[in-house]
Amino acid sequence: RQLSPAALVPVAVLVAMAGVSVFARQALPLAALAAAWFPTTLLPVAALPLITSLALYQENRGYLSAVAVAMIAGPVMAWWWDQRTSGDAERTRLGLRRVVLGAVFGLMMVMVVQRNGVWRDDVTLWSDVLSKAPMNQAAYVNLGGAYQARGDLEAAAAVYQRALTRFPRNAILHNNLGVIYRSHGDWGRAAEEFQAAVRLMPGFATPYYNLGLMLERTGFPEKAIASYERFLQLAPGQLGTAPNISRARQRLIELRRAEPPGLN
């Protein structure tokens, strides 16, 4: 992968905060603690690229690190609000500072209310994420899943199809689109999507189960058996596979019973 120039900005910020933490620990201990707190609480998020290629960062993951901002903002705002003054000019300036702080708090309250609307449900949340990060693969997966959960399969299909124009090698998108085609009775297109998912991510269990259903339905029992067997090999421990393990075992039992002699 090539290093994006945009990635250098957060790296520079983290380096600067590390410097503040080291050099300000005597004169400004609270600022030093905040500077150390921020990157430390983001360390679990930093490990995500080692686990998955999908972009999984969400704003709620930054809540704990935001405590660092409060560590600095709280004392500064208290000083700004409560500074002792003498004379009319200084009292006027203090009054203006309090007006500014009140306006900032008011703006923050309005923004919180607006953000609550974004977090109203999964569709509004992931739609907002995509409006700001159109290259976020996980957001497409989650938005499509949100539409599927509410039964709007046309909208879900549109999301997956749009995503696949940008990420044609995303096996999860292919699998999820195949599920929608299957629900519409479009067995051929469903099988194509499941086969694409298997080809792109051979270790991903779920498409093998879905492909087995399609092969069984379209008259290829031997290939369906092989697909179910591969699913059962991969499924243990993979997210979302547990409900289909017993189903795959049952399908194998029934398919093997139906096999004519000599095919075992």
Side-chain angles (χ1 to χ4, degrees), residues 6-261:
L8 297 177
V9 176
V11 170
V13 170
L14 292 178
V15 170
M17 296 185 75
V20 170
S21 179
V22 172
F23 294 108
R25 64 183 185 275
Q26 296 297 331
L28 298 169
L30 186 61
L33 176 60
W37 177 282
F38 185 82
T40 301
T41 52
L42 287 177
L43 283 177
V45 179
L48 287 176
L50 304 177
I51 301 170
T52 176
S53 60
L54 297 178
L56 298 180
Y57 184 81
Q58 300 168 23
E59 64 186 51
N60 59 299
R61 297 182 187 273
Y63 288 168
L64 187 58
S65 61
V67 172
V69 178
M71 288 180 189
I72 303 302
V76 170
M77 295 172 76
W79 169 79
W80 230 44
W81 182 274
D82 224 9
Q83 188 179 17
R84 296 294 178 263
T85 60
S86 61
D88 292 341
E90 290 185 3
R91 280 193 289 270
T92 299
R93 284 194 294 270
L94 177 59
L96 289 174
R97 289 201 296 266
R98 290 180 173 179
V99 169
V100 170
L101 284 179
V104 169
F105 278 118
L107 178 61
M108 292 173 67
M109 287 188 288
V110 170
M111 293 175 68
V112 167
V113 172
Q114 290 179 333
R115 203 65 195 157
N116 286 339
V118 171
W119 282 81
R120 184 175 66 250
D121 56 46
D122 286 349
V123 170
T124 57
L125 171 61
W126 293 109
S127 296
D128 180 72
V129 171
L130 280 179
S131 70
K132 297 170 182 174
M135 299 303 290
N136 187 324
Q137 297 185 54
Y140 284 104
V141 173
N142 292 335
L143 179 58
Y147 278 121
Q148 283 180 271
R150 63 166 56 175
D152 193 345
L153 300 185
E154 296 299 329
V159 170
Y160 295 139
Q161 289 164 348
R162 178 159 52 102
L164 284 169
T165 62
R166 295 187 172 187
F167 312 107
R169 300 188 60 79
N170 187 306
I172 298 174
L173 292 169
H174 281 289
N175 177 74
N176 291 2
L177 183 57
V179 170
I180 294 177
Y181 287 148
R182 184 181 67 196
S183 68
H184 290 322
D186 193 342
W187 316 127
R189 292 174 75 184
E192 288 176 4
E193 295 299 332
F194 297 139
Q195 287 167 342
V198 166
R199 183 175 63 255
L200 292 168
M201 192 183 293
F204 180 24
T206 299
Y208 287 98
Y209 175 80
N210 291 326
L211 181 59
L213 292 176
M214 293 301 92
L215 291 168
E216 184 178 353
R217 188 176 289 271
T218 52
F220 297 95
E222 294 178 57
K223 292 182 178 180
I225 288 173
S227 192
Y228 287 136
E229 288 176 340
R230 184 57 178 156
F231 167 77
L232 290 173
Q233 290 172 356
L234 296 171
Q238 288 197 20
L239 185 65
T241 58
N244 291 330
I245 290 177
S246 60
R247 296 169 188 163
R249 288 172 178 160
Q250 183 62 35
R251 296 311 310 145
L252 280 175
I253 292 171
E254 295 183 10
L255 285 170
R256 285 167 176 159
R257 283 176 180 167
E259 281 183 334

